[in-house]
């Protein structure tokens, strides 16, 4: 086997890997976006109808589908421009290796332990809080617009930040790896209609940042003291401190480890506060 043959094989392998990586990213984006899921189903239906029209020689519908195939891509780009921009932004925010992946088991456990202690105090005294933990998607754009700290994670510092008299208590805290990077961060709020209109600003901001990134957003209600966690646009409501710690610890594990679903009783969701 010559060197040229070896190089050709290597190029072919790289080519196939890039194609599969692209398909994986597209399918992952479709899975996490309801509109993309509906679009994908619609394209599959159109392809099936087109095959049937060719099989049974249905001239009228075949001609109509030819126009759909011809002008469809342009129409999709125009109609789904916000979603396409969101996917491209998410790709730009993606990091090759998130800080949470290089943490040791003891470091992850210490982080969760400190956050758990802070949640216990905040819940007991009904102090509102929003803690966002970065994973693979960078939160640098939100860090730039907030107060930078870069401090060791401790429950005392978290409680102090969200204490009512602190100027930074209304914003969110961003955690990168084992450090509190910034406080007073402002996040986009969700516009999804599936959530109760009684959800407060913190909860909507937590859901919003979890929709745009893969961050873990932890919320403590100022009025009720209830703990919630937003991940991938989904809200786990009215958690105990132990449930919250288990979810955070599991979500911080590398993806290759087994993932567990935690079902939480959300029957009280309609009773959320209007903070």
């Amino acid at each position: 086997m010559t060197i040229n043959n070896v190089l050709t094989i290597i190029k072919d392998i790289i080519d196939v890997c890039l194609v599969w990586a692209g398909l994986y990213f597209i399918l992952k984006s479709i899975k996490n976006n309801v509109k993309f899921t509906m679009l994908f189903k619609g394209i599959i239906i159109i392809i099936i109808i087109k095959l049937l029209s060719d099989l049974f020689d249905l001239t009228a519908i075949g001609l109509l589908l030819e126009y759909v195939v011809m002008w469809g891509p342009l129409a999709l780009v125009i109609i789904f421009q916000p979603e396409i921009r969101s996917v491209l932004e998410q790709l730009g925010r993606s990091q090759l290796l998130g800080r949470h992946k290089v943490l040791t088991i003891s470091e992850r456990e210490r982080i969760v332990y400190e956050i758990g202690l802070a949640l216990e105090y905040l819940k007991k005294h009904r102090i509102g809080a929003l803690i966002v933990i970065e994973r693979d998607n960078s939160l640098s754009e939100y860090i730039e617009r907030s107060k930078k700290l870069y401090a060791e994670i401790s429950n005392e510092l978290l409680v102090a930040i969200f204490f009512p008299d602190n100027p930074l208590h209304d914003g969110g805290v961003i955690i990168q790896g084992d450090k509190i990077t910034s406080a007073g961060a402002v996040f986009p709020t969700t516009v999804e209609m599936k959530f109760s209109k009684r959800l407060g600003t913190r909860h909507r901001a937590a859901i919003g940042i979890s929709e745009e990134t893969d961050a873990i957003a932890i919320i403590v209600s100022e009025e009720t003291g209830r703990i919630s966690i937003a991940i991938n646009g989904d809200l786990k409501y009215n958690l105990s401190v132990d449930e919250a710690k288990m979810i955070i610890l599991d979500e911080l594990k590398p993806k290759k480890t087994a993932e567990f679903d935690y079902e939480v009783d959300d029957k009280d969701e309609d009773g959320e506060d209007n903070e």
Side-chain angles (χ1 to χ4, degrees):
M1 182 177 290
T2 64
I3 296 177
N4 288 334
N5 290 336
V6 174
L7 292 176
T8 300
I9 293 173
I10 292 174
K11 286 193 294 184
D12 290 341
I13 293 174
I14 294 174
D15 189 23
V16 172
C17 290
L18 290 175
V19 170
W20 277 109
L23 288 174
Y24 170 78
F25 179 77
I26 292 172
L27 292 175
K28 184 178 179 181
S29 300
I30 290 173
K31 178 183 177 182
N32 295 332
N33 192 299
V34 177
K35 292 183 179 180
F36 275 156
T37 302
M38 295 174 62
L39 173 63
F40 184 74
K41 291 179 180 178
I43 292 174
I44 296 298
I45 292 173
I46 290 175
I47 292 174
I48 293 174
I49 296 175
K50 177 62 176 174
L51 293 174
L52 291 175
S53 68
D54 293 340
L55 180 63
F56 295 104
D57 196 21
L58 303 176
T59 306
I61 194 169
L63 182 62
L64 178 62
L65 289 176
E66 285 183 5
Y67 282 108
V68 171
V69 172
M70 183 183 302
W71 298 104
L74 179 60
L76 292 177
V77 170
I78 296 173
I79 295 172
F80 290 93
Q81 182 182 358
E83 285 74 19
I84 294 173
R85 184 175 66 246
S86 176
V87 170
L88 292 177
E89 288 176 351
Q90 184 176 351
L91 179 61
R93 283 193 294 260
S94 296
Q95 303 175 116
L96 183 61
L97 186 62
R99 289 175 173 85
H100 70 289
K101 291 181 178 178
V102 297
L103 296 173
T104 64
I105 295 176
S106 61
E107 286 174 333
R108 284 198 300 267
E109 290 178 347
R110 186 189 69 82
I111 291 169
V112 174
Y113 174 75
E114 294 292 339
I115 293 175
L117 290 178
L119 291 178
E120 286 182 359
Y121 185 93
L122 296 169
K123 176 183 175 70
K124 180 179 179 180
H125 294 84
R126 295 190 179 184
I127 298 175
L130 173 56
I131 303 170
V132 177
I133 304 175
E134 180 190 84
R135 290 199 283 180
D136 289 337
N137 297 150
S138 173
L139 299 177
S140 58
E141 63 177 291
Y142 304 104
I143 294 171
E144 289 299 320
R145 300 195 296 264
S146 59
K147 184 65 175 179
K148 300 176 185 62
L149 299 178
Y150 200 72
E152 292 288 341
I153 296 176
S154 68
N155 69 89
E156 294 90 352
L157 179 56
L158 288 171
V159 170
I161 290 172
F162 292 111
F163 200 76
D165 291 336
N166 192 314
L168 299 175
H169 83 280
D170 282 332
V173 161
I174 296 178
I175 292 176
Q176 292 180 308
D178 60 348
K179 296 290 189 296
I180 298 177
T181 304
S182 66
V186 178
F187 304 108
T189 57
T190 184
V191 295
E192 286 290 339
M193 302 300 295
K194 65 180 181 179
F195 298 105
S196 171
K197 294 181 179 179
R198 301 182 64 183
L199 284 177
T201 304
R202 283 194 182 90
H203 289 78
R204 292 195 171 278
I207 298 169
I209 192 61
S210 74
E211 290 172 340
E212 292 199 1
T213 70
D214 64 345
I216 306 168
I218 310 158
I219 318 102
V220 179
S221 169
E222 186 173 332
E223 293 190 4
T224 64
R226 290 170 178 162
I227 300 171
S228 306
I229 294 180
I231 301 173
N232 296 326
D234 181 42
L235 183 67
K236 301 177 187 295
Y237 183 76
N238 197 15
L239 300 165
S240 68
V241 174
D242 287 339
E243 287 173 330
K245 288 167 62 178
M246 291 177 66
I247 293 174
I248 298 168
L249 186 60
D250 185 61
E251 291 292 336
L252 288 177
K253 292 178 182 177
K255 292 297 183 181
K256 64 181 180 180
T257 56
E259 294 184 3
F260 300 93
D261 293 325
Y262 297 89
E263 296 184 0
V264 180
D265 183 8
D266 58 355
K267 63 182 178 181
D268 295 329
E269 181 170 347
D270 291 338
E272 179 54 43
D273 59 290
N274 290 302
E275 57 195 65

